[in-house]
Amino acid sequence: TKGKGAALHAHLTEEVFIPIRGSWQIYWLEGAEERSITLEPGDVVNMPTRIYRGFRCASDEPDALLIGLTGGPDPGHVAWHPDVVIAARASGLEVDDDGNLREVD
């Protein structure tokens, strides 16, 4: 769905994004400034380690598909950007030690 994707997050590994169907916007932070690029099917972008990044569908195509690959045998847990954690807590979620967003019991 257009506009849906993953919020700003980081990994201890690289992450590669490859659109299969539809257009996808990959965005990241350089300091406090957000940068972005829109990818089409067959494009490939590699995000370095420890960079806050996210992605969102930029297509009206109902079956848009993006492949995201993390490198290495142990990609570790997701480190959410602090703004994402604040918004999650405000909506009734918490972040566990593995970086998973869960409903508060």
Side-chain angles (χ1 to χ4, degrees):
T1 304
K2 190 171 188 174
K4 302 291 183 181
L8 284 171
H9 65 284
H11 298 280
L12 296 176
T13 64
E14 296 176 350
E15 190 168 17
V16 175
F17 295 105
I18 308 165
I20 302 302
R21 289 188 298 272
S23 302
W24 289 84
Q25 183 184 51
I26 310 301
Y27 61 101
W28 65 94
L29 292 182
E30 287 184 16
E33 188 172 345
E34 184 178 301
R35 304 275 188 175
S36 69
I37 186 171
T38 300
L39 303 179
E40 300 297 333
D43 291 340
V44 177
V45 68
N46 179 53
M47 296 301 301
T49 62
R50 302 173 194 244
I51 299 289
Y52 281 112
R53 83 290 301 262
F55 56 87
R56 54 186 156 242
C57 183
S59 176
D60 290 321
E61 191 169 327
D63 61 345
L65 179 64
L66 175 73
I67 293 177
L69 303 167
T70 53
D74 182 6
H77 70 275
V78 172
W80 297 103
H81 188 271
D83 290 347
V84 173
V85 174
I86 290 167
R89 286 184 177 142
S91 72
L93 299 175
E94 65 182 5
V95 180
D96 68 16
D97 292 339
D98 293 324
N100 300 307
L101 296 171
R102 301 184 185 268
E103 289 186 25
V104 178
D105 294 329

